[in-house]
């Protein structure tokens, strides 16, 4: 089968590897002249690690990442808000903090080793005849036709609307500042730690292991920030940010000691993508292009990796149409659960409501330690949760999220 993939990100490369190893002829199109990772740190959940294992890349990524045994969140005064240990889900279960460059380099090497043709500087602007897809680039070159086209160029995909005019991808009003910092004392080993001040302030520290241009252990520090506050934050400067972090979490503020150029800090913005049925005919949306959510649940990379492995498995021995129908059935439940929970939980951690933050601090902490709520939360965290009525609840989430303006 001849397959064209748009986007050299996590989902696109993982799909290229899995499909090329199944014997398909795969061409990967990337709009940049040199593909590179975007972002700082990410948390690979057991579901994502399982997918990396299927791709034969788990050991390589684990060797450079940092194991995470628990997620713990508290208020500045020390009141527990979240306390989730992976071992309470299954013995020997854990997540893995990693720099995005770690995952990118492993996938990129495997793409080349699998014999995938990579065409850089090829920006695909539209798709003709989705049943026998032809990809059109900015130079009006016709690429294809392909037996299957996979659109994996991210949450802001410009190709999605052409396939599914009713798809929606509103921006969240909240984003996050990210930076990678050295952890010389190994103080942050083993835990994704967060501090919340109401629902307006969320600070997190994630161990990520190796990082480019850095030796020893590193962490990713993130600071939740509304888009309409971003300009004022930049104008105030690094010292004002250090002081703000210190006022909520002095230990985390010490990670910001030393040289720090505000222009090098990443501001990530996020979309809620509702695009069922994830494509048309023999053209499929995959990863964030199909179902991006708020990063509150940390599932974006994990879903993309699982998408890729599931797609390769369902194409094995099947024609395109029945294979894609099988793929949608297999992925609908897990993805709809993440979308639903993201819609429900994001305003609990990112909003201007003082009441929501107060209620969360008093209710969520005890619930996270009590069965069955703890198991539901752990199933969501690990990527194991699904829904029998997945598409119904996904539809509910679709109407909740675009109208939220917290």
């Amino acid at each position: 089968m001849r397959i064209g993939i748009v986007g050299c990100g996590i989902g696109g490369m993982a799909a290229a590897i899995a499909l090329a190893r199944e014997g398909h002829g795969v061409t990967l199109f990337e709009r940049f002249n040199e593909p590179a990772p975007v972002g700082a740190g990410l948390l690979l959940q057991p579901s994502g690690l399982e997918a990396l294992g299927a791709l034969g890349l788990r050991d390589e990524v684990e060797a450079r990442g940092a194991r995470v045994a628990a997620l713990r969140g508290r208020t500045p005064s020390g009141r527990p808000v979240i306390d989730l240990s992976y071992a309470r889900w299954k013995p020997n279960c854990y997540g893995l903090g990693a720099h995005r460059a770690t995952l990118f380099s492993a996938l990129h090497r495997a793409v080349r080793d699998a014999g995938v043709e990579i065409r850089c500087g090829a920006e695909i602007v539209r798709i003709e005849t989705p049943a026998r897809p032809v990809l059109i680039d900015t130079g009006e070159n016709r690429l294809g036709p392909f037996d299957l086209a996979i659109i994996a160029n991210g949450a802001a995909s410009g190709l999605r609307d052409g396939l599914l005019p009713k798809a929606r991808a509103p921006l969240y009003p909240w984003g996050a500042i990210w930076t990678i910092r050295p952890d010389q004392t190994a103080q942050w080993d083993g835990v994704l730690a967060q501090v919340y001040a109401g629902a307006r302030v969320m600070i997190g520290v994630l161990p990520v292991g190796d990082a480019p241009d850095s030796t020893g252990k590193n962490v990713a520090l993130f600071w939740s920030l509304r888009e309409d506050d971003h300009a004022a934050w930049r104008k105030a400067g690094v010292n004002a940010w250090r002081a703000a972090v210190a006022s909520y979490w002095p230990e985390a503020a010490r990670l910001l000691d030393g040289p720090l150029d505000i222009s090098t800090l990443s501001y990530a913005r996020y979309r809620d993508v509702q695009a069922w049925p994830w494509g048309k005919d023999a053209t499929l949306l995959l990863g964030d292009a199909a179902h991006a959510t708020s990063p509150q649940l940390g599932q974006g990379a994990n879903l993309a990796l699982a998408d890729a492995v599931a797609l390769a498995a369902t194409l094995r021995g099947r024609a395109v149409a029945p294979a894609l129908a099988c793929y949608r059935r297999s992925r609908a439940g897990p993805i709809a659960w993440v979308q639903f929970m993201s819609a429900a939980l994001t305003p609990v951690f990112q909003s201007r409501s003082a009441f929501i933050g107060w209620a969360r601090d008093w209710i969520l902490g005890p619930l996270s330690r009590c069965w069955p709520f703890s198991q539901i939360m752990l199933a969501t965290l690990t990527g194991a949760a699904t829904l029998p009525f997945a598409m119904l609840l996904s539809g509910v989430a679709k109407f909740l999220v675009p109208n939220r303006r917290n």
Side-chain angles (χ1 to χ4, degrees):
M1 191 179 297
R2 191 178 180 206
I3 300 173
I5 301 177
V6 181
C8 199
I10 291 172
M13 288 194 291
I17 296 162
L19 293 167
R21 289 177 179 173
E22 290 287 331
H24 302 293
V26 180
T27 304
L28 185 59
F29 298 95
E30 168 57 42
R31 67 189 181 98
F32 294 111
N33 290 327
E34 184 65 36
V38 177
L42 54 81
L43 179 58
L44 291 167
Q45 303 291 2
S47 57
L49 292 173
E50 182 179 354
L52 281 177
L55 296 173
L57 300 175
R58 178 169 180 165
D59 290 346
E60 178 181 347
V61 174
E62 282 207 41
R64 297 183 57 194
R67 286 198 183 193
V68 174
L71 189 161
R72 298 194 180 105
R74 62 173 179 82
T75 66
S77 65
R79 180 180 182 85
V81 177
I82 293 179
D83 186 1
L84 296 173
S85 170
Y86 286 94
R88 289 167 58 195
W89 174 248
K90 287 182 181 179
N92 303 316
C93 182
Y94 56 89
L96 186 80
H99 195 288
R100 284 187 176 269
T102 295
L103 181 57
F104 180 91
S105 62
L107 290 167
H108 193 254
R109 178 196 53 76
V111 162
R112 294 190 175 279
D113 290 348
V116 174
E117 181 185 0
I118 304 176
R119 296 192 189 179
C120 295
E123 183 174 2
I124 306 303
V125 293
R126 69 179 187 277
I127 301 166
E128 292 184 355
T129 59
R132 182 71 171 160
V134 174
L135 308 180
I136 312 298
D137 67 11
T138 51
E140 290 298 312
N141 297 302
R142 298 172 60 83
L143 308 167
F146 295 97
D147 300 301
L148 172 65
I150 299 169
I151 310 306
N153 59 345
S157 174
L159 300 173
R160 184 174 47 234
D161 290 346
L163 292 171
L164 298 172
K166 293 184 179 181
R168 294 194 287 180
L171 280 165
Y172 281 102
W174 293 78
I177 302 296
W178 285 84
T179 183
I180 299 294
R181 306 297 290 173
D183 179 21
Q184 304 291 358
T185 63
Q187 173 185 352
W188 305 94
D189 279 3
V191 177
L192 167 55
Q194 297 178 339
V195 164
Y196 321 109
R200 293 179 64 98
V201 174
M202 179 173 66
I203 313 167
V205 178
L206 170 68
V208 297
D210 289 352
D213 304 320
S214 178
T215 58
K217 297 183 177 183
N218 295 270
V219 297
L221 184 147
F222 56 92
W223 167 273
S224 181
L225 187 68
R226 279 185 63 95
E227 165 63 18
D228 50 17
D229 291 332
H230 184 215
W233 175 86
R234 290 185 67 88
K235 184 177 180 180
V238 167
N239 289 335
W241 185 43
R242 286 190 178 107
V245 174
S247 69
Y248 298 111
W249 197 1
E251 297 87 354
R254 286 196 282 272
L255 290 168
L256 301 177
D257 290 344
L260 188 61
D261 184 350
I262 201 167
S263 67
T264 65
L265 303 179
S266 301
Y267 181 66
R269 300 199 66 191
Y270 307 102
R271 294 177 183 268
D272 174 75
V273 175
Q274 300 289 336
W276 182 258
W278 304 332
K280 183 178 180 181
D281 299 328
T283 305
L284 177 72
L285 297 164
L286 184 142
D288 279 354
H291 46 67
T293 66
S294 159
Q296 189 60 52
L297 297 178
Q299 293 291 342
N302 300 284
L303 289 177
L305 290 166
D307 284 355
V309 171
L311 178 61
T314 55
L315 278 172
R316 196 175 298 139
R318 292 186 178 95
V320 170
L324 293 186
C326 180
Y327 168 80
R328 291 184 178 99
R329 287 193 299 271
S330 71
R331 298 299 295 148
I335 289 167
W337 177 260
V338 170
Q339 290 180 313
F340 177 73
M341 290 298 288
S342 175
L345 288 177
T346 294
V348 174
F349 293 93
Q350 292 177 307
S351 75
R352 286 176 167 166
S353 170
F355 173 76
I356 288 177
W358 175 85
R360 178 207 61 208
D361 294 348
W362 282 93
I363 295 171
L364 194 58
L367 285 181
S368 73
R369 296 187 294 274
C370 296
W371 188 92
F373 301 103
S374 62
Q375 293 303 104
I376 294 172
M377 295 171 73
L378 283 165
T380 303
L381 179 67
T382 60
T386 188
L387 284 179
F389 302 105
M391 298 321 302
L392 172 62
L393 286 181
S394 181
V396 172
K398 176 174 66 176
F399 289 103
L400 287 175
V401 176
N403 294 325
R404 188 175 68 246
R405 293 293 182 268
N406 295 306

